[in-house]
Amino acid sequence: MNPELRELYQSVIIDHGKNPRHFKEIEGYTHKLEGYNPLCGDRLTLYLKVKDDVIQEIGFTGSGCAISMASSSLMSEAIKGKSVQEAEGLYRRFHNMLTGSKADAGDEESDKLAVLGGVKEFPTRIKCATLAWHTLKHALQKSEQPVTTE
């Protein structure tokens, strides 16, 4: 990755880490789930309002490292207004991007999430970046058990 692009990606992560979007508890949620990364101490509670199979509203609360907060923020922007199926597809593409699995064809939302792709160079930080996504996956499945990255 060229230095200018790396610097841009880092600034996006810092911005979302310090000023996370959708950082709030929403009222009238249909899905709620907690997630925890014991390795780093990241904790979040994810709130979704799903109607007619569309994620109409999303919010999250909690605390964590900059990567965890940035990933949660970027995820919330990417999936709001998407169908459950589209959100599940984004989860799969994001997870594959960070774990080095076979790459899926990208789309505009996946391309926006590429700023977190550099995390795969730091294996211990992958759990920070994927916590919100694993919580989303389990929340959409109506799981009631808190999600952990262990």
Side-chain angles (χ1 to χ4, degrees):
M1 179 183 310
N2 72 48
E4 292 84 19
L5 191 55
R6 183 180 297 269
E7 187 174 319
L8 171 64
Y9 283 5
Q10 288 174 345
S11 68
V12 170
I13 291 170
I14 290 168
D15 177 42
H16 278 269
K18 288 184 178 180
N19 306 297
R21 284 39 158 204
H22 305 278
F23 190 79
K24 61 184 177 185
E25 181 177 338
I26 61 173
E27 295 194 21
Y29 58 82
T30 57
H31 301 67
K32 174 185 173 185
L33 194 60
E34 295 177 16
Y36 177 56
N37 174 4
L39 184 64
C40 192
D42 306 318
R43 289 187 175 277
L44 69 88
T45 302
L46 183 66
Y47 306 90
L48 302 169
K49 188 183 290 186
V50 178
K51 184 175 181 185
D52 298 327
D53 204 41
V54 173
I55 300 169
Q56 296 185 336
E57 197 169 348
I58 181 171
F60 70 96
T61 58
S63 62
C65 68
I67 291 171
S68 175
M69 291 291 103
S71 183
S72 300
S73 178
L74 287 160
M75 179 194 74
S76 68
E77 286 193 321
I79 68 164
K80 185 175 179 184
K82 299 284 191 267
S83 71
V84 169
Q85 184 177 4
E86 289 171 317
E88 289 169 342
L90 274 171
Y91 162 83
R92 187 184 70 254
R93 289 190 298 278
F94 182 77
H95 190 267
N96 288 348
M97 175 182 72
L98 291 185
T99 61
S101 302
K102 123 182 135 64
D104 292 346
D107 57 19
E108 184 179 343
E109 294 303 331
S110 296
D111 293 344
K112 290 178 186 177
L113 298 170
V115 299
L116 290 163
V119 170
K120 68 182 168 190
E121 295 176 26
F122 306 94
T124 60
R125 303 311 298 267
I126 291 173
K127 291 181 179 187
C128 302
T130 58
L131 175 62
W133 292 88
H134 286 297
T135 307
L136 169 69
K137 177 185 174 190
H138 290 272
L140 291 173
Q141 295 170 352
K142 292 281 199 172
S143 175
E144 295 180 9
Q145 295 297 318
V147 173
T148 180
T149 56
E150 291 304 306

